[in-house]
């Protein structure tokens, strides 16, 4: 007779699953904890700045069209052809003529501006149209230049205030003006709070200066070459922020919408050349 064998033992049970990883509550806590006053100030400042910019924020400045020829014309128009409305001699030196000397660009003389405004009949038929276009650009875009100049002055004032306040709070902890005990300590804390506030105002004014300068140049491009600027802006938005981010990481961002950007630059350059030719007519 065949001997019967007992059935094989059942396989061992599978090992228990590993315990779940510990939950990192730090991110969740950070996401839900209330912001500090400094963080709220930063968020509010960023919000104010973002509301002012008129171009897509994902487009880096190197991708914006260079319209410096028109910028120089507008600056020369302000400081040369309209001396009654120009700033004082100190303001001109700080904001206009000093920059012209640094760039080695000679402003047009009043006589040259007069020739541009009243061209010789038959010479450069597009001249009067070009002059009217430049004046129109000046009217449409000047507000951004004024805002940039105001914010630049504010930034310098806040920078000076920070330096002055720092001199009043020496490193050794002794307050130059205050008395002894808690009174001196309170005054030091107050001054340090003032330094932080002034530094934040300086940062915001500096950022707004940059924003308004970008707005000024984009406004010039829109006013001088509206159709070409529209095509460029459409190209920007069609590609979108992700394309610009990847191209920036790979050092290729300047090739994005290059043809559209160069078309705007060529258009602005032609306008500047029309007026330059008029200034040389006798």
């Amino acid at each position: 007779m065949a001997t019967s064998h007992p059935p094989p033992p059942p396989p061992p049970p599978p090992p228990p699953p590993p315990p779940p990883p510990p939950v990192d509550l730090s991110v969740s806590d950070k996401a839900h904890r209330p912001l500090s006053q400094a963080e709220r100030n930063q968020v509010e400042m960023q919000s104010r700045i973002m509301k002012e910019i008129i171009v897509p924020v994902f487009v880096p400045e190197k991708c914006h069209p260079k319209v410096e020829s028109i910028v120089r014309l507008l600056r020369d128009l302000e400081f040369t052809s309209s001396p009654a409305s120009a700033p004082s001699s100190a303001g001109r030196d700080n904001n206009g003529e000093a920059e012209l000397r640094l760039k080695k660009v000679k402003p047009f003389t009043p006589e040259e501006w007069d020739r541009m405004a009243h061209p010789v009949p038959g010479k450069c038929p597009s001249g009067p149209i070009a002059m009217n276009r430049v004046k129109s650009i000046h009217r449409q875009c000047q507000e951004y230049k004024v805002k940039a100049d105001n914010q630049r002055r504010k930034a310098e004032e806040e920078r000076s205030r920070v330096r002055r306040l720092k001199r009043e709070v020496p490193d050794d902890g002794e307050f130059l003006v205050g008395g002894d005990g808690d009174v001196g300590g309170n005054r030091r804390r107050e001054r340090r709070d003032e330094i932080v506030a002034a530094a934040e105002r300086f940062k915001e004014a500096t950022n707004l200066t940059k924003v308004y300068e970008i707005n000024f140049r984009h406004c010039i491009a829109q006013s001088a070459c509206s159709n070409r600027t529209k095509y460029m802006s459409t190209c920007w938005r069609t590609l979108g922020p992700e394309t610009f981010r990847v191209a920036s990481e790979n050092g290729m961002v300047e090739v994005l919408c290059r043809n559209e950007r160069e078309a705007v630059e060529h258009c602005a350059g032609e306008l500047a050349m029309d007026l330059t030719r008029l200034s040389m007519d006798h």
Side-chain angles (χ1 to χ4, degrees), residues 35-67:
L35 297 176
S36 67
Q37 184 60 50
E39 290 170 330
R40 285 197 299 271
N41 291 344
Q42 289 294 321
V43 171
E44 292 171 1
M45 179 179 70
Q46 191 70 14
S47 176
R48 288 192 297 268
I49 292 172
M50 299 303 286
K51 287 179 181 177
E52 294 298 319
I53 192 163
I54 64 174
V55 298
V57 296
F58 57 82
V59 179
E61 189 176 358
K62 63 177 66 176
C63 293
H64 296 179
K66 297 175 178 61
V67 292

Side-chain angles (χ1 to χ4, degrees), residues 43-213:
V43 171
E44 292 171 1
M45 179 179 70
Q46 191 70 14
S47 176
R48 288 192 297 268
I49 292 172
M50 299 303 286
K51 287 179 181 177
E52 294 298 319
I53 192 163
I54 64 174
V55 298
V57 296
F58 57 82
V59 179
E61 189 176 358
K62 63 177 66 176
C63 293
H64 296 179
K66 297 175 178 61
V67 292
E68 296 310 304
S69 57
I70 305 296
V71 171
R72 287 196 295 269
L73 282 172
L74 297 181
R75 185 185 55 215
D76 296 348
L77 177 64
E78 179 180 356
F79 290 114
T80 305
S81 72
S82 303
S85 61
S88 64
S89 59
R92 287 185 60 176
D93 188 71
N94 289 335
N95 297 327
E97 293 180 353
E99 185 179 355
L100 288 171
R101 287 196 298 270
L102 288 174
K103 292 180 177 292
K104 297 182 180 180
V105 176
K106 179 183 177 182
F108 290 114
T109 65
E111 291 77 14
E112 289 170 332
W113 275 108
D114 185 66
R115 286 198 294 271
M116 287 186 277
H118 306 91
V120 177
K123 288 190 176 183
C124 192
S126 62
I129 298 175
M131 188 58 160
N132 290 335
R133 286 175 64 193
V134 168
K135 290 182 177 179
S136 175
I137 294 168
H138 183 270
R139 287 192 299 270
Q140 294 180 58
C141 304
Q142 184 66 4
E143 75 167 287
Y144 295 119
K145 182 179 182 300
V146 171
K147 288 180 177 180
D149 290 342
N150 289 341
Q151 291 298 324
R152 188 178 294 106
R153 283 192 291 270
K154 182 177 179 180
E156 288 302 317
E157 291 171 1
E158 296 300 339
R159 186 206 300 269
S160 299
R161 182 174 288 110
V162 169
R163 290 172 176 170
R164 175 178 57 80
L165 291 170
K166 284 184 175 180
R167 288 195 298 268
E168 297 174 355
V169 185
D171 294 335
D172 60 6
E174 294 295 331
F175 195 70
L176 294 179
V177 182
D180 53 2
D182 291 338
V183 176
N186 289 336
R187 289 185 176 178
R188 282 195 297 275
R189 284 190 292 274
E190 290 173 0
R191 285 306 171 93
R192 290 191 177 107
D193 289 343
E194 291 178 21
I195 290 172
V196 171
E200 289 178 351
R201 292 192 297 269
F202 166 76
K203 181 179 179 181
E204 181 172 2
T206 301
N207 289 334
L208 283 173
T209 299
K210 192 68 175 176
V211 164
Y212 290 134
E213 287 175 345

Side-chain angles (χ1 to χ4, degrees), residues 207-227:
N207 289 334
L208 283 173
T209 299
K210 192 68 175 176
V211 164
Y212 290 134
E213 287 175 345
I214 291 173
N215 288 355
F216 178 53
R217 282 161 172 75
H218 189 73
C219 177
I220 289 173
Q222 281 185 320
S223 302
C225 313
S226 58
N227 287 335

Side-chain angles (χ1 to χ4, degrees), residues 224-275:
C225 313
S226 58
N227 287 335
R228 298 188 187 192
T229 303
K230 180 180 178 180
Y231 295 145
M232 180 186 66
S233 299
T234 300
C235 180
W236 287 348
R237 291 183 169 86
T238 300
L239 294 180
E242 182 64 17
T243 301
F244 275 88
R245 183 189 66 79
V246 173
S248 295
E249 292 176 352
N250 290 277
M252 300 287 290
V253 71
E254 290 185 76
V255 306
L256 300 181
C257 304
R258 174 185 285 172
N259 292 339
E260 291 81 359
R261 181 177 70 249
E262 291 179 349
V264 176
E265 294 172 347
H266 181 70
C267 170
E270 284 185 334
L271 175 57
M273 284 301 300
D274 282 345
L275 283 180

